[in-house]
């Protein structure tokens, strides 16, 4: 059952939860865990995500109960109580979330009773009782939203038929998250929609409380968020639209826009106008640089979302030849794997590439090293740079983790993102 | 594996003494999950010159080469035994040097560090002696038998 993995991409559940809370404006996590968890979980996701960190609290500035042997033997709830009080005294946050590390999970400290002492006094302290060992960063994203649905999001908020929620892009665990969310926000806003990205525009806990007013939940991911989306629909009656993979380039982004428009019954004339404008913008640029990037036989190593987006853009829009696609995040449900393979294989005219699901860096490197067909471009994370150098193939960093670039609002997604992507391919020739 | 636990208690019922207040440690011996009172060990009375040194800044204290340095007495240069902490503290720790853990109401930072050096676990808790012994023996039993402490909820 248990295996040793070389260079896992991301961290434990706690790392995923910390990434989401860190991206929310004025929200403070409080760790009930051993000393070191704050720093390590931040290093696992935020620390490898283009040198961008949560600036409210992150890493060593996160309050932690620092459980030691005494807390293991006698229980750590007393120490947790003083830690929460200390956080409230010192950090002026809109909400506090108490997270449990492995230690607290093993000894079974009752954190809910402690947070209740504070919430009964009207102080917004919420428990997220999921120990670190329960899974990986992606599960952390789902856990946070499950807890928001259970504890934070309000019922009976007046519906707004122009409001949409965006899910499926994990802050920091997807290095380009803020740029991607901004591009989605930009395109959807042109359609007259109000967009909850939750992690940009200084949206915070208040936005989350009222997000049950939305007319549609848009999940941009081929597999993530299945459980929470069903729960969301059950509790608040908001239906979900799954976009099975990030859209890079005009073709897929237009499909995305049309799907959203259809689901919400938007005015067709407006939708056509927006699409025409956006496509004109992209194609006008591409037309000015035809042939500057020569034909490539490419491989992609990325999380499922980005792997789908990159492969489809390069194969469909840029007529490169896909050779090998490695989905480098752990995916367990067979139907999810099938959906991802289908999206990667359903190309307009290219021969479908080989699709592998590998999370171990040794196996990823081995698959690329031993690939019989020639590869001349590799889109991957910083971890794949080594094998690209070894095989002497062109390499661009397009997926988490990214250690050698500073990334603010750069994205490869959407209409404008595809231009950036194409520029970057040229830059790395 | 049998081991001993030292407890700072004035009445044998509650853990009610700070480490510094302890004049005699109550020692329990443990075998598996069974424990019993072994003995009461007196801490030797410190003579007055040592006490003055331990309490801080008697200048003469620093000139005695065999003594460790105490906090605030001007450093421990030239002392071959290194910074062994105040003499009284070292002696008091030596009294229970054969124990696996020590339980007191409070234990100061200096003492905690000294115990850490000797791999003696410190539990500064306020509870009954019985509760402390139950919890600590349960913990060590699991630890020694490589069993998880996981609680099924």
């Amino acid at each position: 059952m248990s295996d040793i993995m070389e260079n896992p991409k991301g961290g434990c559940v706690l790392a995923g939860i910390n990434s989401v809370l860190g991206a929310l404006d004025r929200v403070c996590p409080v760790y009930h865990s051993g000393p070191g968890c704050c720093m390590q979980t931040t290093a696992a996701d935020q620390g490898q995500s283009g040198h961008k960190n949560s600036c409210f609290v992150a890493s060593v500035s996160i309050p932690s109960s620092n459980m030691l042997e005494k807390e293991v033997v006698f229980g750590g709830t007393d120490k947790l109580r003083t830690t929460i009080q200390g956080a409230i005294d010192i950090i002026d946050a809109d909400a506090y979330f108490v997270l449990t590390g492995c230690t607290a999970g093993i000894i079974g400290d009752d954190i809910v009773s402690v947070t209740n002492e504070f919430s009964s006094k009207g102080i917004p302290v919420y428990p997220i009782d999921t120990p670190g060992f329960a899974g990986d960063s992606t599960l952390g994203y789902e856990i946070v939203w499950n807890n928001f649905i259970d504890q934070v999001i309000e019922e009976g908020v007046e519906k707004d038929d122009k409001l949409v929620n965006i899910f499926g892009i994990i802050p920091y665990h997807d290095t380009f998250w803020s740029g991607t969310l901004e591009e989605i926000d930009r395109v959807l806003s042109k359609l007259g929609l109000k967009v909850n990205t939750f992690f940009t525009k200084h949206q915070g806990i208040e936005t989350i409380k009222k997000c049950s007013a939305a007319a549609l939940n848009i999940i941009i991911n081929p597999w993530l968020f299945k459980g929470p989306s069903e729960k969301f629909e059950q509790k608040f009656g908001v239906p979900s639209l799954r976009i099975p993979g990030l859209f890079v380039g005009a073709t897929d982004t237009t499909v995305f826009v049309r799907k959203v428009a259809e689901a919400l019954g938007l005015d067709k004339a407006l939708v056509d106008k927006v699409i025409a404008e956006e496509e004109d913008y992209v194609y006008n640029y591409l037309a000015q640089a035809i042939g500057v990037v020569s034909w490539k036989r490419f491989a992609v190593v990325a999380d499922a979302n980005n792997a789908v987006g990159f492969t489809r853009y390069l194969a469909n829009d840029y007529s490169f030849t896909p050779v090998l696609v490695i989905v480098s995040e752990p995916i367990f449900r067979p139907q999810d794997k099938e959906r991802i393979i289908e999206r990667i294989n359903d190309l307009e005219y290219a021969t479908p590439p080989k699709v592998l699901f590998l999370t171990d860096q040794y196996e990823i490197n081995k698959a690329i090293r031993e690939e019989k067909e020639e590869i001349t471009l590799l889109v991957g994370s910083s971890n794949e740079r080594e094998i690209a150098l070894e095989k002497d193939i062109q390499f661009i960093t397009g997926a988490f983790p990214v250690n050698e670039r500073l990334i603010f609002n750069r994205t490869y997604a959407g209409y404008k993102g595809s231009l950036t992507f194409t520029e970057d391919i040229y830059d790395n020739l | 594996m049998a081991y001993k636990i030292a407890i700072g208690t004035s009445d044998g019922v509650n853990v009610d003494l700070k480490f510094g207040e302890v004049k005699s440690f109550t020692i329990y011996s443990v075998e598996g999950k069974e424990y019993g009172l072994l003995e009461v060990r007196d801490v030797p009375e410190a003579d007055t010159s040592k006490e003055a040194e331990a309490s801080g800044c008697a200048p003469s204290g620093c000139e005695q080469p065999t003594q460790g340095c105490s906090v605030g007495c001007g450093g421990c240069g030239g002392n071959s035994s290194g910074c062994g902490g105040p003499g009284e503290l070292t002696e008091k720790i030596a009294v229970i040097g054969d124990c696996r853990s020590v339980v007191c109401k409070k234990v100061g930072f200096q003492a905690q560090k000294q115990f850490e050096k000797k791999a003696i676990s410190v539990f500064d808790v306020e509870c009954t002696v019985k509760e402390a012994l139950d919890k600590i023996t349960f913990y060590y039993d699991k630890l020694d038998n490589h069993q998880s402490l996981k609680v099924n909820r």
Side-chain angles (χ1 to χ4, degrees), chain A residues 113-135:
Chain A
S113 67
V114 181
T115 55
N116 280 347
E117 292 170 21
F118 292 94
S119 54
S120 63
K121 282 186 264 175
I123 304 166
V125 181
Y126 305 95
I128 298 185
D129 196 357
T130 305
F133 55 71

Side-chain angles (χ1 to χ4, degrees), chain A residues 117 122 128 172 179 187 243 245 248 252 303 329 376 405:
Chain A
E117 292 170 21
I128 298 185
Y172 299 106
V187 174
I243 307 293
V248 178
D252 275 3
D303 56 278
E329 64 184 341
T376 51
R405 303 186 69 171

Side-chain angles (χ1 to χ4, degrees), chain A residues 69-75 104-111 129 133, chain B residues 121-125 127 131-132 135-136 139-140 148-151 153:
Chain A
E69 194 173 25
K70 181 185 144 192
E71 283 70 36
V72 172
V73 178
F74 289 92
I106 288 170
I107 65 168
D109 264 357
D110 181 11
I111 66 161
D129 196 357
F133 55 71
Chain B
S121 302
V122 176
F123 297 106
D124 48 346
V125 287
C127 62
E131 188 191 348
K135 286 186 172 172
I136 294 170
Y139 167 70
Y140 281 142
S148 172
L149 290 161
K150 191 165 182 183
V151 178
R153 277 185 287 173

Side-chain angles (χ1 to χ4, degrees), chain A residues 51-73:
Chain A
H51 299 281
K52 191 166 60 176
N53 267 273
S54 170
C55 53
F56 187 62
V57 285
S59 191
V60 290
S61 63
I62 298 173
S64 168
S65 62
N66 288 356
M67 302 176 86
L68 293 171
E69 194 173 25
K70 181 185 144 192
E71 283 70 36
V72 172
V73 178

Side-chain angles (χ1 to χ4, degrees), chain A residues 9-26:
Chain A
K9 293 176 161 108
C12 63
V13 165
L14 217 52
I17 298 173
N18 180 35
S19 292
V20 175
L21 297 180
L24 284 169
D25 199 32
R26 291 175 53 76

Side-chain angles (χ1 to χ4, degrees), chain A residues 396-408:
Chain A
I396 72 168
T397 37
F400 177 86
V402 175
N403 297 321
E404 66 268 48
R405 303 186 69 171
L406 175 62
I407 292 171
F408 286 132

Side-chain angles (χ1 to χ4, degrees), chain A residues 140-202:
Chain A
Y141 180 79
E142 293 193 345
I143 295 281
V144 172
W145 280 105
N146 277 329
N147 276 282
F148 284 168
I149 293 166
D150 288 340
Q151 305 183 50
V152 181
I153 303 173
E154 290 170 4
E155 284 182 273
V157 182
E158 198 187 336
K159 291 283 172 191
D160 182 343
D161 62 357
K162 291 289 178 210
L163 184 69
V164 293
N165 297 325
I166 307 294
F167 297 109
I169 315 281
I170 310 179
Y172 299 106
H173 196 61
D174 181 330
T175 308
F176 300 94
W177 64 276
S178 41
T180 303
L181 290 173
E182 281 167 13
E183 173 69 0
I184 294 165
D185 187 10
R186 185 185 70 81
V187 174
L188 294 183
S189 297
K190 281 181 88 169
L191 300 170
L193 297 173
K194 284 176 253 173
V195 186
N196 280 340
T197 65
F198 303 109
F199 308 118
T200 60
K201 306 187 283 192
H202 289 294

